[in-house]
Amino acid sequence: MGGDGAVTVPLRDRVGKARRDQDTRTVMRLRLGVGAIGVGLPLALPAGNWIAARLDGRTGEDAWPGSMSGSYHTSTRDIFVGALCALGIFLVVYRYNKYNDVTGTIAGACALGVALFPTAPSSGGDAGQQTISVLHQVFAVALLTAMAAFCLLMYKAPGIKDRPYARRPYLVAGVLILVFMALAAAAAVTEVGDDWLITPLYLCEWLSVWSFGFAWTGAALSLAADIDRLPRTRAVVGVVLGRLHSLGGLLGRGKARSRATV
């Protein structure tokens, strides 16, 4: 206790609290990074292909490959490989408990395998590309399976199961990933939708990755609320929206004045 009656917290306790706060913020941002990749990647690939096609004077009809993995042979190869490598590293280094460590490491290793062992081109490719493509498919199925297992394990993980708002997104994501995998397999066997602009395989992969990404984003936001960081995020978003609203008002008044002058 200090001379003025105030309680003085020992330096060691203050340093320990600062380290715990820093670790928690790091985990929150790591979760948010995984969520951002999962949510943004399925949209960035066709959008990037379409933009590249338009810049080259093409119509952009080939912006949607037969699968997300087919993006390796399009203009968004670097986005696809880079995002999967980042996702793989994130999942490998993420730690929560024993079972999630194992499934996270498996998922991360498979994400790296999907990125580094590309699928064969739509034209078929040579024997070497076909062999690598088999490895790619094994890694892809294992990745989605590990992602589903990770989410279902997080649903019952200590520290999560007593917070319904944090655990339900994991349960929903895990179940949806398994459902979408089954639908993709059924479409492949029946050859339904092979001539669609967005094939069932691409759509199921898209929704699976989205499910995983939204679950991680929800976990990041729940952790942000636990450490009282969410109000700051809301405040920043509020300031940005306020500035945009003010800018829109100024532009609207400028247009009104121009019409009045005319």
Side-chain angles (χ1 to χ4, degrees):
M1 182 176 294
D4 57 355
V7 177
T8 302
V9 179
L11 177 61
R12 182 175 62 182
D13 294 343
R14 294 200 303 271
V15 172
K17 183 179 183 303
R19 287 179 177 174
R20 288 192 297 272
D21 291 343
Q22 181 181 14
D23 291 344
T24 303
R25 291 196 300 271
T26 300
V27 172
M28 179 192 70
R29 291 167 182 168
L30 181 61
R31 290 180 179 178
L32 190 59
V34 173
I37 292 175
V39 173
L41 182 60
L43 296 176
L45 296 176
N49 289 332
W50 185 85
I51 292 172
R54 298 300 293 175
L55 291 175
D56 290 341
R58 293 180 281 115
T59 60
E61 294 179 354
D62 56 347
W64 297 91
S67 66
M68 287 183 63
S69 298
S71 300
Y72 185 89
H73 302 286
T74 67
S75 301
T76 53
R77 172 191 300 180
D78 293 342
I79 296 176
F80 175 74
V81 173
L84 279 179
C85 287
L87 179 64
I89 296 300
F90 282 165
L91 291 175
V92 168
V93 302
Y94 184 80
R95 292 291 180 267
Y96 192 82
N97 61 22
K98 178 180 177 181
Y99 298 107
N100 288 103
D101 288 352
V102 173
T103 54
T105 300
I106 292 174
C110 290
L112 294 173
V114 170
L116 300 179
F117 295 88
T119 187
S122 57
S123 58
D126 55 28
Q129 290 175 316
Q130 290 293 338
T131 301
I132 294 175
S133 183
V134 172
L135 292 175
H136 173 89
Q137 293 172 12
V138 171
F139 281 124
V141 172
L143 171 60
L144 292 174
T145 305
M147 286 166 55
F150 184 94
C151 290
L152 294 175
L153 287 173
M154 282 296 290
Y155 173 70
K156 294 185 177 181
I160 294 289
K161 62 182 181 180
D162 56 343
R163 293 183 295 173
Y165 62 89
R167 67 194 296 242
R168 286 172 185 162
Y170 282 117
L171 175 62
V172 173
V175 172
L176 286 179
I177 291 172
L178 295 177
V179 169
F180 293 137
M181 288 180 65
L183 290 176
V189 171
T190 59
E191 298 183 353
V192 172
D194 286 349
D195 56 344
W196 295 358
L197 176 63
I198 306 176
T199 64
L201 176 58
Y202 193 104
L203 184 60
C204 289
E205 289 176 338
W206 176 355
L207 295 176
S208 296
V209 176
W210 256 14
S211 300
F212 191 70
F214 279 121
W216 277 76
T217 302
L221 294 178
S222 67
L223 184 56
D226 291 342
I227 62 177
D228 201 29
R229 303 288 292 188
L230 198 56
R232 300 183 184 183
T233 303
R234 290 173 178 167
V236 172
V237 173
V239 170
V240 173
L241 292 177
R243 294 290 178 85
L244 292 175
H245 180 73
S246 300
L247 179 60
L250 291 174
L251 292 175
R253 286 196 296 270
K255 292 179 179 178
R257 290 175 183 173
S258 299
R259 285 194 297 266
T261 301
V262 173

